[in-house]
Amino acid sequence: MGLYFIIAGKADASVPDGLGNRRIAYSLSKGDCFGEISLFNDRPSPVAIHATEDLEVILIIPEAAKELVERRPSIARELGLTIEARTRMVDELSQTSTLEF
């Protein structure tokens, strides 16, 4: 667990639907991060990350990520906005996937 920053490659973030399948919620590429939901909410994320190209990432361990956020409030705000937007996308996808029979 930690905060991952993509420095090369692409990936998809998927979530389970009501039928046991996975659906793509959003895509990630160079400069994007993932792992923020479980890192700051202290609970497992429903999101799974799947590389769609060779993926090169930098991992910031939880203690360092939390210290970085404490020292740089602008990073905390940016991650908060990212978490909010991604949570909304996942929630919307979950709601529509159970309605699409």
Side-chain angles (χ1 to χ4, degrees), residues 63-80:
E63 297 79 14
K66 290 176 182 178
E67 184 176 329
L68 180 63
V69 165
E70 288 174 8
R71 289 182 181 209
R72 303 278 186 177
S74 61
I75 293 174
R77 283 190 298 277
E78 190 67 33
L79 285 172

Side-chain angles (χ1 to χ4, degrees), residues 47-63:
V47 178
I49 305 299
H50 304 275
T52 56
E53 295 181 358
D54 286 344
L55 198 59
E56 194 171 339
V57 299
I58 294 175
L59 168 63
I60 301 177
I61 62 172
E63 297 79 14

Side-chain angles (χ1 to χ4, degrees), residues 26-95:
Y26 50 90
S27 295
L28 301 162
S29 59
K30 182 179 178 180
D32 290 329
C33 67
F34 60 92
E36 72 287 339
I37 294 173
S38 60
L39 180 66
F40 295 107
N41 289 336
D42 292 325
R43 60 185 167 98
S45 172
V47 178
I49 305 299
H50 304 275
T52 56
E53 295 181 358
D54 286 344
L55 198 59
E56 194 171 339
V57 299
I58 294 175
L59 168 63
I60 301 177
I61 62 172
E63 297 79 14
K66 290 176 182 178
E67 184 176 329
L68 180 63
V69 165
E70 288 174 8
R71 289 182 181 209
R72 303 278 186 177
S74 61
I75 293 174
R77 283 190 298 277
E78 190 67 33
L79 285 172
L81 292 172
T82 299
I83 290 170
E84 183 180 327
R86 290 181 178 171
T87 300
R88 190 172 32 252
M89 283 188 271
V90 168
D91 289 347
E92 288 173 5
L93 187 59
S94 296
Q95 289 173 1

